[in-house]
Amino acid sequence: MATAPIDWRARAAELRFDGRAVIAGQRVAAQSGETFDCISPLDGRVLTSVARGRSADIDAAVASARAAFEDRRWSGQAPAARKKVLIRFAEKILAAGPELALLETLDMGKPIQYSMAVDVRSTANCIAWYGEAIDKVYDEIAPTAASALALITREPMGVIGAVVPWNYPMIMAAWKLGPALATGNSVVLKPSEKSPLTALRLAELALEAGLPEGVFNVVPGYGHEAGEALALHMDVDAIGFTGSTRVGRKMLEYAGRSNLKRVYNELGGKSAFVVFDDVGDVSRAAKTAAGSLFFNAGESCNAPSRVFVHAAIADEFTAIIQAEAPKYAPGDPLGGTAEIGALVDDTQMQTVLGYIAAGHSEGATLLTGGQRTMQATGGFYVEPTVFAGVNNSMKIAREEIFGPVMSVIRFETEAEAIAMANDSAYGLQASVWSDNINRAHRMARSLRAGTVHVNQYDEDDITVPFGGFKQSGNGRDKSLHAFDKYTELKTTWIRIDAR
Ligand code: NAD
């Protein structure tokens, strides 16, 4: 029997918001009593008010996280016990899926069907995966002489500060929470001030799942207030940061000015998508470029925003892109059919429109899009936009736009493609399209990026590391490698006397 489609607007009208922080297992207002407005990009209206955390609130959250760590209420539990709680947490996320999806969509603008199918599911999967993994990883014994035993073990670090962006608010939080909690740490999470609502709900669900109080705290607030206080805190052992390269630099400074806490930066990108004239299916390449860039309205760190096309197929390729882009026209994020929704806020929309203006003034050719749209809603929507005739030194080819804007750049030779693709401050992801296996392997080795895709772009999984070369960051989220970020290695030498 077919189920009736969900009436998301009706559900949204019934939604209850609670913008208070979660500290030591309790919902609390900011100590100052201050709040900030949480505005929905769907229509520019205030959704609710949210606690404006500052250093006093961060101090309280870090103290609660530290107390939980020191009395070992979580870190002292057997891995199999932590596994059970994390799997229950993941089940609760799925059970609360429609509510979480609505909060995400109303708060940051993405289409509701993707909030459900991508954000809720990936978040639950990430938490469950690290829960599943933690009682299956072993420590090491070194190959020493018989007179000694050397154990190499991993210990949780202590208190982890997680600072995350607004483009995939729950998923980015889960990429920190999964490995940090599984390994026994306590966490203080500072969500983006542009999208704080789901993080607060996640903390409640974790408590319901049996995570002890104080192990996972959430302090909403502005970056220069709550975020800075967390990163400067003397009792935070590591910062797991995802966000812009500009703020990533500050994170390193804060660590230097405070306790030299570990800083793991997952930063911006300007990913190259390189299409050769020996690609078997030009249409598939072009459609994949469009789909991968315009997904999430281009607000993805790994969006392939620089598309390099061999001159011999450039006209054919750009004609397909030009026809494809309007299929990603923004629509009502609660309607259930729009491919892209609203940009996160007015500021981000003005930034994107500013880059479009720069594309015009630098002499790129606008193929499609380029305008704000759906103004009558009061929300922040921009058309999918494609520039051709771009060269790699233009501003739109060098800077991360973080919006639905593609730059198409022609090349003639493989060497030129490699040089231009690598001529970027960033190195998050790249893609190469060719039916020549030797060229595909050569390119995969030559491209300076944390992930290289061959003849595809969308493959992704919690089992593989995610992160970048160069100014795209250090450390890796996802996969078992993420355990490295939240554990200290300890060597224990034991003398064994001869009989
Ligand atoms: P942002 O750097 O402006 O903000 C990220 C977080 O840092 C927010 O919580 C913000 O409040 C906080 N912050 C801001 N200023 C701060 C300060 N002075 N001190 C401490 N914290 C501060 O980034 P954004 O606009 O929220 O997100 C977009 C960026 O995130 C893009 O550059 C994108 O590429 C990047 N990103 C990277 C990845 C990855 O895995 N590499 C994934 C998603 C997004």
Side-chain angles (χ1 to χ4, degrees):
M1 198 174 69
T3 49
I6 298 175
D7 181 345
W8 291 105
R9 287 217 170 268
R11 286 223 181 177
E14 290 162 9
L15 212 52
R16 293 280 163 269
F17 301 102
D18 187 345
R20 291 174 299 167
V22 180
I23 298 176
Q26 306 299 319
R27 282 297 201 140
V28 290
Q31 293 189 23
S32 66
E34 290 173 288
T35 58
F36 63 91
D37 284 343
C38 182
I39 293 169
S40 176
L42 273 58
D43 53 13
R45 296 211 187 111
V46 176
L47 270 179
T48 186
S49 60
V50 173
R52 181 170 175 173
R54 291 176 183 265
S55 59
D57 308 286
I58 290 292
D59 286 347
V62 172
S64 115
R66 176 59 62 189
F69 185 71
E70 294 301 331
D71 72 15
R72 299 172 58 77
R73 71 187 78 155
W74 177 243
S75 61
Q77 292 191 25
R82 295 202 296 267
K83 171 176 82 171
K84 276 193 187 143
V85 172
L86 291 178
I87 289 174
R88 224 166 22 232
F89 181 20
E91 287 165 357
K92 290 205 172 279
I93 292 168
L94 288 178
E99 180 198 356
L100 290 167
L102 257 182
L103 288 173
E104 206 79 309
T105 289
L106 292 171
D107 210 359
M108 64 71 63
K110 71 177 68 188
I112 187 73
Q113 71 277 20
Y114 290 125
S115 291
M116 279 294 284
V118 177
D119 297 67
V120 169
R121 279 182 32 197
S122 299
T123 301
N125 183 51
C126 174
I127 299 292
W129 193 83
Y130 283 104
E132 292 279 6
I134 196 61
D135 67 347
K136 295 165 191 73
V137 288
Y138 292 71
D139 286 327
E140 300 163 41
I141 296 175
T144 56
S147 57
L149 180 65
L151 308 176
I152 305 167
T153 53
R154 285 174 188 272
E155 294 185 359
M157 277 188 175
V159 176
I160 308 299
V163 181
V164 296
W166 45 261
N167 60 338
Y168 296 91
M170 274 190 291
I171 297 176
M172 294 302 103
W175 287 4
K176 316 297 181 200
L177 289 170
L181 292 177
T183 44
N185 296 282
S186 300
V187 175
V188 177
L189 170 65
K190 208 296 283 174
S192 170
E193 60 276 22
K194 300 182 182 190
S195 61
L197 298 178
T198 45
L200 296 166
R201 201 54 196 111
L202 285 181
E204 288 183 332
L205 295 171
L207 286 165
E208 287 173 22
L211 194 72
E213 292 177 358
V215 173
F216 171 24
N217 307 272
V218 181
V219 181
Y222 291 106
H224 64 282
E225 295 174 353
E228 180 173 323
L230 185 61
L232 278 171
H233 205 288
M234 292 300 286
D235 207 19
V236 169
D237 298 288
I239 286 284
F241 174 68
T242 299
S244 61
T245 296
R246 182 184 67 81
V247 176
R249 275 181 222 287
K250 292 191 183 209
M251 291 295 176
L252 294 168
E253 285 175 28
Y254 297 145
R257 279 165 49 196
S258 56
N259 61 345
L260 288 178
K261 57 180 67 66
R262 314 286 191 265
V263 175
Y264 303 110
N265 274 331
E266 304 287 344
L267 309 175
K270 193 75 191 170
S271 296
F273 190 102
V274 186
V275 188
F276 285 92
D277 55 345
D278 56 15
V279 64
D281 188 343
V282 176
S283 170
R284 194 162 67 84
K287 287 178 178 172
T288 303
S292 306
L293 176 79
F294 295 128
F295 185 74
N296 214 40
E299 295 169 327
S300 299
C301 52
N302 61 341
S305 48
R306 292 184 303 151
V307 177
F308 297 96
V309 189
H310 191 277
I313 55 163
D315 289 341
E316 179 188 359
F317 185 93
T318 41
I320 299 168
I321 291 271
Q322 196 169 0
E324 205 58 20
K327 296 180 187 166
Y328 296 89
D332 177 9
L334 291 176
T337 54
E339 278 301 315
I340 69 175
L343 299 182
V344 71
D345 63 3
D346 187 39
T347 307
Q348 186 62 17
M349 182 179 70
Q350 298 306 338
T351 300
V352 171
L353 293 172
Y355 277 110
I356 292 170
H360 286 299
S361 66
E362 286 190 308
T365 308
L366 181 73
L367 290 186
T368 180
Q371 299 293 326
R372 180 178 182 183
T373 178
M374 294 173 63
Q375 263 127 309
T377 62
F380 314 117
Y381 302 84
V382 172
E383 292 173 341
T385 299
V386 180
F387 280 106
V390 177
N391 75 54
N392 205 36
S393 58
M394 289 180 183
K395 190 172 172 177
I396 54 171
R398 302 212 72 76
E399 297 180 15
E400 183 180 41
I401 299 174
F402 225 53
V405 182
M406 178 188 286
S407 294
V408 182
I409 303 169
R410 291 182 185 223
F411 69 88
E412 302 275 352
T413 66
E414 188 177 313
E416 191 191 359
I418 293 169
M420 286 201 292
N422 286 339
D423 180 16
S424 169
Y426 298 109
L428 192 54
Q429 299 207 343
S431 180
V432 53
W433 291 72
S434 168
D435 273 10
N436 176 336
I437 192 167
N438 293 305
R439 167 173 278 158
H441 278 290
R442 270 198 311 273
M443 289 294 296
R445 285 186 183 173
S446 305
L447 292 167
R448 304 275 302 149
T451 300
V452 178
H453 302 269
V454 176
N455 292 334
Q456 59 94 38
Y457 203 78
D458 290 333
E459 204 64 55
D460 194 18
D461 199 74
I462 190 69
T463 53
V464 298
F466 188 103
F469 287 17
K470 301 192 271 183
Q471 292 181 38
S472 289
N474 64 330
R476 294 290 183 271
D477 278 331
K478 307 201 306 176
S479 83
L480 295 181
H481 290 280
F483 284 146
D484 295 341
K485 303 203 295 190
Y486 304 112
T487 51
E488 292 283 17
L489 276 185
K490 177 178 277 182
T491 302
T492 307
W493 280 103
I494 300 170
R495 192 184 72 187
I496 302 178
D497 290 338
R499 265 199 290 178

